[in-house]
Amino acid sequence: MAPGIVPTEDLEAILADAPWQALAGERLFITGGTGFFGSWLLQSMCAARLRYGLDLSATVLTRDPIAAAAGLALAPGHDFIQWHQGDLRTFTDPPGAFTHLLHIATPASTGFSETSSVDMLDILVEGTRRVLELARRAGVKRALLTSSGAVYGVQPPEMEQFEEDYLGCPDCLNPGTTYGEGKRLAEQLFALYAERHGLEAVVARCFAFLGPHLPLGGHFAAGNFIADALEGRPIQVRGDGRPLRSYMYPTDLVTWLVTMLVHGASGRAYNVGSDQALPLGDLARRVGSLSGVPVEILGAPDAGPAPRYVPSTERARTELGLTLKVCLEEALVRTLNWHRGNRTRE
């Protein structure tokens, strides 16, 4: 398994479960094609095109087409993808018409938000508006926005899972909530363009994920735990280990996103993630058990309710027939094996 390549067993699952044939003959415009979501999506799309003989095409916006092409060069069948150079907020229109828009691009770094919240908000809002203007001019009929569970704000302690009709929101006077506020505005723009221009717009509110290509370190707790384990050092949990999270594996992620693009109801939001919650301390201990390293809980126990960030996925299950097929234990094993395999080849 070379870097940049989705494991074969994962591709097979995505090919079997996602409704790829519905995209035959379509032309897609995609933003965010070089990130975690985009890497999985584009490699899966390459495989689907070859497997099913689809004549779909994709144009992917990127600031660096050379680097983007190099990152996908190992995936068979990638030649159908065209790279369009430009910044999300200022790019010029690529030629021709498009049938579908996948707006995946997002400044996801917590550090970015803390140091330059105005720039983050500008990217989230003006970038989304720029992409929607292209969609309007290019005749796009269906569009999918990858939003975030951050739009709900802080999860009330008595609420086990966020449902899509929850009307809570981030604290707009807290600069630390810029990401969630920006995503809320991006969703509003999708709703406005759907109403005014007849665009079929679907929103995917994404939560937490775990799998190959997930950045190690940074603000992803799971990535930090795996990074510690791969280095053979104790896994450190910086808090008290009580916050509750849930994790979806990328095979399910891609299947859900493609299904929502094709079959999601216009003007509808769907949570994307796992509804199986566990404390971060337990996640660390599972990684430690699989890796043979100890776990250190650094924070003092807090007597208050444990913070939660967990979605309800009932809407996706009942309306779109989607299920979670990869359990957390299997996701951890596959992710650790992928990173270990790539490290031995470096």
Side-chain angles (χ1 to χ4, degrees):
M1 294 177 292
I5 293 296
V6 170
T8 301
E9 64 177 320
D10 290 340
L11 279 179
E12 289 298 325
I14 296 169
L15 291 176
D17 294 337
W20 295 106
Q21 290 90 338
L23 293 175
E26 308 291 21
R27 187 169 187 238
L28 283 59
F29 185 78
I30 302 172
T31 71
T34 58
F36 176 61
F37 283 22
S39 175
W40 274 86
L41 179 68
L42 290 184
Q43 291 178 62
S44 301
M45 192 176 295
C46 291
R49 190 171 183 272
L50 289 176
R51 172 68 59 85
Y52 300 115
L54 304 180
D55 59 348
L56 82 159
S57 62
T59 296
V60 182
L61 178 68
T62 177
R63 289 187 298 271
D64 189 343
I66 295 176
L72 196 66
L74 296 176
H78 67 277
D79 294 340
F80 80 99
I81 293 174
Q82 296 183 339
W83 304 100
H84 186 69
Q85 185 172 20
D87 181 270
L88 185 64
R89 294 163 289 183
T90 60
F91 69 90
T92 58
D93 285 9
F98 294 94
T99 59
H100 292 70
L101 163 68
L102 286 88
H103 184 28
I104 303 174
T106 182
S109 167
T110 299
F112 190 159
S113 179
E114 291 172 350
T115 59
S116 186
S117 295
V118 173
D119 285 344
M120 169 173 276
L121 191 62
D122 191 46
I123 292 171
L124 289 168
V125 178
E126 291 305 319
T128 298
R129 183 169 184 175
R130 177 68 192 85
V131 168
L132 286 169
E133 277 296 304
L134 165 69
R136 179 181 63 81
R137 289 192 290 267
V140 169
K141 58 184 181 182
R142 286 190 63 85
L144 178 72
L145 167 69
T146 55
S147 184
S148 169
V151 301
Y152 297 118
V154 176
Q155 189 163 354
E158 69 278 5
M159 179 183 290
E160 290 192 5
Q161 300 172 338
F162 279 127
E163 295 184 354
E164 288 88 347
D165 57 2
Y166 174 63
L167 298 180
C169 61
D171 178 2
C172 62
L173 295 181
N174 178 1
T177 66
T178 300
Y179 182 73
E181 289 289 356
K183 284 296 188 181
R184 283 171 60 83
L185 288 169
E187 290 189 17
Q188 181 76 74
L189 283 168
F190 259 62
L192 288 171
Y193 274 73
E195 179 187 48
R196 297 180 182 179
H197 304 295
L199 179 69
E200 296 179 13
V202 184
V203 172
R205 291 178 180 157
C206 301
F207 280 73
F209 302 89
L210 175 66
H213 300 295
L214 179 78
L216 300 183
H219 67 284
F220 297 103
N224 286 327
F225 298 162
I226 290 172
D228 286 340
L230 291 172
E231 293 296 332
R233 58 183 180 243
I235 296 173
Q236 294 188 332
V237 181
R238 304 199 178 279
D240 64 2
R242 296 170 60 247
L244 292 149
R245 299 290 185 270
S246 60
Y247 296 90
M248 172 183 267
Y249 193 70
T251 54
D252 290 323
L253 166 66
V254 174
T255 297
W256 285 37
L257 292 182
V258 175
T259 301
M260 289 172 185
L261 174 67
V262 172
H263 298 304
S266 180
R268 199 80 161 145
Y270 299 91
N271 287 336
V272 178
S274 169
D275 56 5
Q276 303 301 307
L278 82 164
L280 286 178
D282 287 358
L283 175 65
R285 283 184 278 270
R286 292 194 187 190
V287 176
S289 176
L290 291 169
S291 307
V293 298
V295 174
E296 299 175 353
I297 307 295
L298 302 181
D302 190 328
R308 306 178 68 94
Y309 183 63
V310 181
S312 166
T313 57
E314 182 178 357
R315 178 176 291 181
R317 292 196 309 268
T318 58
E319 295 187 10
L320 301 176
L322 292 167
T323 60
L324 197 71
K325 294 196 172 182
V326 181
C327 68
L328 177 62
E329 198 76 14
E330 181 64 23
L332 287 171
V333 170
R334 292 189 195 182
T335 305
L336 284 164
N337 287 343
W338 184 84
H339 280 288
R340 287 167 179 157
N342 283 326
R343 286 164 69 87
T344 62
R345 290 165 173 80
E346 291 176 351

